[in-house]
Structures are given as structure tokens and as C-alpha cells.
Amino acid sequence: MDLRSELLKSIWYGFTALDVEKSGKVSKSQLKVLSHNLCTVLSIPHDPVALEEHFRDDDDGPVSSQGYMPYLNKYILDKVVEGSFTKENVDELCWTLTAKKNYQPDRLSTTVLPEKDAFRLWCLFNFLSEDKYPLVMVPDEVEYLIKKICMAMSMECVDLEDFFAQDSVQQSGITVWVFLEMMNSGRITRGMDKSIATMAIEEVYREIVGDVLKEGYLWKKGQLRRNWKERWFTLRPSNLSYYTGEDRKDCQGNIALDGNCCVEVLPDRDGKRCMFCLKTLSKTYEMSASDTKQRQEWTTAIQTAIRLHVEGKTSLHKDLKLKRREQREQREKRRQAKEEELQRLRALQEERERKLAELELLKEAQKQAQVLLEQDEQRRRQQHEQLQRTLEIQLREAEEARVSMQAEMALKEEEAERQRKRIQELEEMQKRLEEALQLEIKARLDEEAFRYAQAGLLAEEEEKMKALMALQEEQEEYILKTQREKQELKQEMEAKSRDLEEAQRQLEEVRANRHRVDQDVVAAQRKLRQASTNVKHWNVQMNRLMRPIGPGEKRPSLGSGFGSFQIPMQRDPGLHLRRRSGSEHQDEESKENVDNRAGCDLEKRRSQASNGDMDIP
């Protein structure tokens, strides 16, 4: 947050205070007074004609904030020089304008804060508010400010969850007037003395708005007299100032801080304890704190100030505010991402439920279709059985008629034979026989017609049987198709299960191979250590065996029948060197053999590990 943004926040309150009708516009006469006062406190020359020239084309009506901003930027803010004015004077001017209109506490209440404390809280609110208008402060920043005030009063932080839980506070934050009303309600001070609250608010104000990293008394060693004097020190990101007293009226010196400065802890001497020094390029300042804790706090604070100067930052709390804002934005992004993920999961769950419902509907429809097919098949089977029974009855009746007719024909033939024998005798019987013959012919014609009708019924039955077989084949094809689809799904599930089991088996094999390789490596290391121990032992034994016999030493007797004799006193240096070189050659050969065996074992384990598709750890 740069200087222009800080000034605009205060000026915004002054502009809105002049908007009595809350229409978003202010008269030109009031803007002239505001502009003149701003130029005065900002220590820049005021041009009284510039405002009239800037709004020459406008009517005589009031001017909105959007219309006043170009003039404010061009003729006032662009001419501001940082360090040439006091920012607190600008804040006091804007506070005076806005407090008359908006800050009207109950003066009779015992919990109302003094005017100076309200002004400092207003400045703290502006510093911690968001960079958007109208100015509001988010609940996290309010809680941070209240914690700082409570810590300055040496009391536990007040629980304001019921206040922060309101929907209006969560959605849009709180304004400065709501914040001041809460502070005047006594919920924060809780009956404490107003002087304690005033000191706490002033301390927080100087720390956050005044960029004071730390204040307090320290003993300082003089540069000329080298005597010790107690001074009041004030640490800011750019310098370390010291005064004669706590009122900070008589400044005794100012130490500029940069990247070349450093802090060191010194041992106790000259009757002073808890000493430390601040080294610059030109001087070294020795100081003494009251206790070890104060020394640690001062050294840490000075190192923080040096770090801020090196990083090009002018304010610690501006940096902390930006970090808190980034953390809030990250939390908001994570919350939004979580909500989007939950919505996506809900959508997937709904889609899954919808597909399951569709699957259930398809299964129900399949069951209903199966039931209808079974009912249709049963109905067709019943019709077929009924038709078959009817045809069987008709066939039996026709068979009985044929048998009866054959019997009748036999009787009639016998009668005709008798009549032919008696033809000569019974002429009258001839006519009866002719009539019987005509009846027989008629019966045969009726029988033929019945046979034709029976053949038509049989053909119709055959067509119906063909249609029934076609329906049955269609049903069997549909059943086979359904079974094939079920079989394909089952095979796919079995294949995935087999793949999963195969992957698990391979994972277990890889773990077993790795465990086996680890065991092999441990065994090889153990063998290598054993071989190294053996080589050392062999070297010791060889050195003992190869040592030449000195003068006066006796050689071991070779038998009881031989006398002992002594070795000559003269030593053979060539023999000693040859024996030593021989022992060193044997040591090198033994080490080479051990290295070769270890290399073979390692190569074998690598080949086993490569066959097991894993790396040797």
C-alpha cells in the first residue's frame, strides 16, 4: 500500500463527510475549502483558480467523487513529496471533518473512549481496511487488531464469535463506525481503567501506523566520554533513534540502518550486564538491556529492521498485512476449490444415481417384457393345445365315420351280392340296389370333400406351427443376445479382477525380491567385514612369523638328540626387506581376493535384482 492509497483513504472520509445529503456530490465551495486545507497540511502550494478552471465546462451544481478525483490527482497528490509533511496532520484534518457527522457517542457513558483514542482507532482501521470503497475491514483483520490491543493491555483476548458470526459481517465486513461503537460498548475493556486502554491503543497505534518495531529504555555507552547513560530508544525499519526521556522531545541521536549493519551479543563488563552492540560502517554502538529477555527482543527487532531495509520494505505491518491478505485469498481459493469439488462430486453422485435408476428401469422393463413373452407363449401354447385337441376329436370322429361307412359298405356289398344272386328273382330289388348305389356314391363324395377339408386344416396347422417356431427362434435369439452381453460383462469384470490380482502378485514379488536382495546385501557386508577381520589377523600372523630372530634369541629345538645352536648376531637387512615385501605382497593379494569375491557377490545380487525388476538400495 503506497502513500497515495493511504492519503486517499483519509480524503475519502473527508469528501463523504461534506456530502450532507448523501447524494454522492459536494458543492464547489466546500471542495475549495477541502482542497485548500489539504494543500496546507501536505505542504504544497495551493492554486485557487485551478478548481474553477478544471470544472469550467460544468454547471454550478455539486461535483461527484469521480469528477473530483482527476483534480485531486493532478493538482494535489501528484505534487506530494514524501517526508515533507506529517501524515498524522492529514489524518487529523479528515477525522475532524468526518467525526462531526458520523461519530456521535454517548458522552454520559463510562465506557466511551476519549477523542484521541477514537482518532487512533480510526487511523488503525484505515491502515488495516481493504483497498476498496466504501472502506470496510474484514473479520480477520478486526480480530487481529483486537488481539493486539488486548495483548498491550496484558489481558486475554475477548471472545467475539457472536459478533463475527453475523451474516452482514461475514459477507461485507464492518465499517469504522460499527468498529468504534463496539469499542465504546465496553466489551473489549471490560471495566478496565481508561488510562490503561489509552496506553494500549497508543502503543498499537505507534507500532502499526507509526512503524515502531520496538521502544524502551536501554543503557548506551558514549562515543567520546565512554560513560553509560540511560536513553529511550525507538526502533523503526530505517533508523534507531534515542531520546533523553519517554516523551521523545529531546532527540540525542539517530542511527541509520542498512545492509552493512549487524548486531552482536557482548559479554558482561564495566559493571554492565546483558550487553550487545550495533555495528555500522563508521561506528560501533554498545548498549545494555535490563535482562536477557529484553536483550533478545532488541537484537531480534534490530535484525528484523535490517532485513526489511535490505528487502526494500518500509513497514513491517504493511508486509504482514499483505501476507495475511494473501493467506485469506489462498483460503478463499481453497474453499472455492473445495466447494467446486463437492459440487462436482454431487453431480457425479447424481449422475450415478440417475444411471442406477435408469438401469433399474431397464431391468424392470426387461422383467416385464420377459413376463409378457412368457404370458404370450403360454397363451399360444394353450391355443395350440386346444386346436390340437379339436383336430384330434375331429380325426376320431372322421375315423369312426370311415369305419362305420366301411362296415356299411361291406354290408351293402354283401346285400348286393345277395341281390345279384337273386336279380333274376327280384327285379324290384334292383331299383333299391341302384338307389343304394347312388347313396354310396354320394357318401363317397362327402367323404372326399371331408378329406379335402381335413387337408386344409392340416395345412393351416402347419402354417401356424411355422409361425410359432419363428416366434420361438426370435425369443431364443433375444435370450442368447442377453446372455452374451451378460457373459461379456462378466468376462470383463473377471479380466479386471485378474489384472488386479496379477498386479498385487507382482507387487508382492517385487517386495519379496527387495527383501531378499536386502538380506543378500547384509550377508555380503557381513562377509566383507569378516574377510577384512581375517585379513588383518593374517597380516598380524604373517608379521609375527616373518620377524627375524635377534641376537641372543634361541631357536626352538628340533629334537631331543640334537643340541641347540645360536643364530649369528649379524642381522641380514636384505632378508628383512624381502620378508616384509613378501608379507605386503600377500596382504595385497588377500585384499584383492576379498575385493574380487565382494564384487562377484555384488554383481550376482544386481543380476538377481534386475531379474526381480527392482533397484538395490
Side-chain angles (χ1 to χ4, degrees):
M1 184 170 63
D2 55 358
L3 180 61
R4 182 185 292 262
S5 300
E6 295 179 6
L7 293 174
L8 280 176
K9 286 185 176 181
S10 301
I11 296 172
W12 178 79
Y13 279 106
F15 184 89
T16 54
L18 298 177
D19 182 14
V20 180
E21 299 179 355
K22 296 182 179 180
S23 61
K25 295 183 178 181
V26 180
S27 63
K28 290 183 180 179
S29 60
Q30 291 177 321
L31 291 180
K32 287 181 181 179
V33 176
L34 176 62
S35 302
H36 180 74
N37 291 330
L38 288 175
C39 292
T40 301
V41 296
L42 291 173
S43 301
I44 59 176
H46 177 59
D47 188 1
V49 188
L51 184 64
E52 294 293 340
E53 292 180 352
H54 184 73
F55 297 105
R56 181 181 299 171
D57 297 334
D58 296 344
D59 54 8
D60 295 333
V63 180
S64 64
S65 59
Q66 289 81 7
Y68 183 61
M69 280 301 297
Y71 169 80
L72 181 65
N73 289 322
K74 181 178 180 181
Y75 294 98
I76 297 179
L77 296 180
D78 289 347
K79 299 179 181 179
V80 172
V81 178
E82 186 173 1
S84 63
F85 67 97
T86 303
K87 172 70 167 50
E88 189 173 357
N89 295 335
V90 181
D91 294 335
E92 287 180 353
L93 170 64
C94 298
W95 165 254
T96 303
L97 292 174
T98 188
K100 291 180 180 179
K101 177 183 176 182
N102 300 303
Y103 184 63
Q104 298 175 356
D106 186 7
R107 303 295 180 182
L108 300 178
S109 177
T110 58
T111 60
V112 175
L113 297 173
E115 188 75 17
K116 191 66 175 178
D117 293 345
F119 164 70
R120 288 169 177 166
L121 290 174
W122 179 77
C123 294
L124 288 169
F125 184 94
N126 291 343
F127 185 86
L128 297 175
S129 62
E130 298 297 308
D131 298 334
K132 55 184 179 181
Y133 298 90
L135 294 175
V136 294
M137 191 157 56
V138 296
D140 292 342
E141 296 295 328
V142 177
E143 186 176 2
Y144 172 77
L145 179 57
I146 292 175
K147 284 183 178 179
K148 296 288 290 186
I149 295 174
C150 291
M151 290 175 60
M153 292 190 295
S154 300
M155 59 178 290
E156 295 182 358
C157 186
V158 181
D159 187 10
L160 299 175
E161 291 184 0
D162 54 345
F163 178 76
F164 293 135
Q166 300 178 9
D167 294 337
S168 59
V169 175
Q170 290 291 335
Q171 293 178 1
S172 59
I174 64 172
T175 61
V176 65
W177 314 118
V178 176
F179 175 69
L180 291 176
E181 182 180 357
M182 180 184 65
M183 296 296 296
N184 289 327
S185 64
R187 299 180 64 181
I188 308 300
T189 57
R190 291 188 293 189
M192 296 187 68
D193 191 11
K194 288 186 177 181
S195 60
I196 298 176
T198 300
M199 292 174 62
I201 293 173
E202 182 182 4
E203 180 181 348
V204 176
Y205 173 79
R206 286 182 55 77
E207 178 184 352
I208 296 179
V209 179
D211 290 332
V212 176
L213 300 181
K214 188 170 178 59
E215 284 184 314
Y217 280 106
L218 291 173
W219 288 90
K220 176 184 173 297
K221 189 174 184 180
Q223 297 291 325
L224 299 176
R225 293 185 178 181
R226 310 301 291 174
N227 58 341
W228 290 89
K229 291 184 179 180
E230 191 176 23
R231 300 298 186 208
W232 177 267
F233 281 81
T234 300
L235 176 63
R236 289 184 172 86
S238 59
N239 58 69
L240 177 63
S241 305
Y242 51 95
Y243 307 85
T244 57
E246 190 175 349
D247 54 1
R248 301 181 299 277
K249 292 182 179 180
D250 185 11
C251 182
Q252 295 296 313
N254 188 11
I255 305 173
L257 300 177
D258 53 20
N260 298 317
C261 299
C262 66
V263 184
E264 293 182 1
V265 176
L266 300 177
D268 299 342
R269 65 172 182 267
D270 298 337
K272 296 296 181 180
R273 53 190 298 271
C274 303
M275 293 180 59
F276 65 96
C277 68
L278 173 61
K279 292 184 177 180
T280 63
L281 289 177
S282 57
K283 294 181 181 180
T284 299
Y285 300 89
E286 296 182 7
M287 288 162 277
S288 173
S290 59
D291 52 23
T292 307
K293 181 180 178 182
Q294 285 293 322
R295 180 176 66 179
Q296 180 65 30
E297 291 179 358
W298 274 104
T299 55
T300 304
I302 295 174
Q303 289 173 354
T304 302
I306 295 172
R307 177 180 58 83
L308 290 174
H309 188 276
V310 170
E311 293 176 356
K313 298 175 181 177
T314 59
S315 174
L316 173 63
H317 285 277
K318 288 179 182 178
D319 186 36
L320 295 177
K321 178 186 175 183
L322 292 176
K323 289 181 179 179
R324 291 196 299 272
R325 182 179 298 174
E326 291 176 358
Q327 292 176 357
R328 289 197 300 272
E329 291 176 354
Q330 291 176 359
R331 287 198 302 269
E332 184 66 20
K333 289 180 180 179
R334 287 196 296 269
R335 186 185 64 80
Q336 292 178 357
K338 188 175 181 180
E339 289 180 356
E340 291 176 357
E341 183 68 18
L342 288 175
Q343 292 178 358
R344 188 179 66 83
L345 290 175
R346 290 194 195 100
L348 291 175
Q349 184 67 20
E350 292 175 358
E351 182 69 16
R352 182 173 176 272
E353 291 177 356
R354 184 179 62 80
K355 289 184 178 180
L356 288 175
E358 291 179 355
L359 183 60
E360 291 294 332
L361 291 176
L362 289 175
K363 289 181 179 179
E364 188 66 25
Q366 184 179 3
K367 290 180 180 179
Q368 292 179 0
Q370 186 70 20
V371 171
L372 291 176
L373 287 174
E374 291 177 356
Q375 291 177 357
D376 192 13
E377 180 66 22
Q378 187 176 2
R379 186 171 58 255
R380 290 179 181 177
R381 191 180 295 111
Q382 291 176 356
Q383 291 178 358
H384 177 69
E385 291 176 354
Q386 185 178 1
L387 181 60
Q388 189 173 4
R389 285 195 298 270
T390 304
L391 291 174
E392 288 177 355
I393 293 171
Q394 292 178 357
L395 286 173
R396 279 199 305 271
E397 291 177 353
E399 186 67 22
E400 291 176 357
R402 188 178 63 82
V403 171
S404 62
M405 288 179 67
Q406 287 179 355
E408 186 179 355
M409 288 175 62
L411 293 173
K412 288 182 178 181
E413 286 178 356
E414 291 178 356
E415 187 179 357
E417 185 66 25
R418 285 193 302 270
Q419 288 176 0
R420 280 194 300 268
K421 291 179 180 179
R422 295 174 60 187
I423 192 169
Q424 294 177 359
E425 297 175 354
L426 298 172
E427 289 291 338
E428 294 177 355
M429 294 298 293
Q430 184 178 2
K431 294 178 181 180
R432 295 178 182 177
L433 289 172
E434 290 176 357
E435 293 175 359
L437 182 59
Q438 292 295 330
L439 291 173
E440 183 179 4
I441 292 171
K442 185 178 180 181
R444 288 184 178 180
L445 291 176
D446 291 339
E447 181 182 3
E448 189 71 21
F450 182 76
R451 288 180 178 176
Y452 287 149
Q454 185 179 8
L457 291 173
L458 290 173
E460 185 180 359
E461 181 182 3
E462 185 177 0
E463 290 177 356
K464 290 182 179 180
M465 285 293 291
K466 291 180 179 180
L468 181 62
M469 292 299 292
L471 290 174
Q472 186 174 3
E473 290 176 357
E474 291 179 358
Q475 183 182 3
E476 290 177 353
E477 289 177 358
Y478 182 78
I479 292 172
L480 289 174
K481 182 179 178 181
T482 306
Q483 291 178 352
R484 282 196 300 273
E485 292 177 353
K486 290 182 178 179
Q487 188 67 23
E488 290 175 357
L489 291 174
K490 184 176 181 181
Q491 290 177 357
E492 185 177 355
M493 292 178 64
E494 290 177 353
K496 291 183 178 180
S497 299
R498 287 195 299 272
D499 294 340
L500 180 60
E501 292 175 357
E502 181 65 22
Q504 292 178 352
R505 185 184 61 77
Q506 292 179 359
L507 180 59
E508 292 298 328
E509 289 180 357
V510 168
R511 290 177 178 173
N513 290 334
R514 180 170 182 176
H515 181 68
R516 188 164 55 252
V517 169
D518 291 340
Q519 292 179 352
D520 292 341
V521 171
V522 171
Q525 292 175 353
R526 185 169 60 251
K527 291 179 180 179
L528 186 58
R529 290 194 297 269
Q530 185 64 30
S532 178
T533 305
N534 293 335
V535 168
K536 292 179 181 179
H537 178 70
W538 294 340
N539 289 337
V540 172
Q541 295 298 327
M542 291 295 294
N543 289 331
R544 288 179 180 176
L545 293 175
M546 297 301 292
R547 185 175 62 85
I549 299 174
E553 295 181 355
K554 295 182 179 181
R555 296 183 62 181
S557 60
L558 300 176
S560 59
F562 298 94
S564 62
F565 63 93
Q566 296 182 354
I567 302 297
M569 299 297 291
Q570 185 177 2
R571 294 185 180 179
D572 189 358
L575 177 62
H576 181 64
L577 291 175
R578 284 195 299 272
R579 288 178 179 176
R580 181 176 297 175
S581 63
S583 63
E584 292 176 355
H585 181 67
Q586 290 178 358
D587 293 341
E588 291 176 356
E589 288 180 353
S590 62
K591 291 181 180 180
E592 183 177 1
N593 293 332
V594 172
D595 293 338
N596 291 333
R597 287 196 298 272
C600 292
D601 293 337
L602 184 60
E603 187 66 22
K604 183 178 179 180
R605 287 194 300 273
R606 286 180 177 173
S607 63
Q608 291 176 356
S610 63
N611 293 330
D613 294 332
M614 65 178 292
D615 295 330
I616 297 176

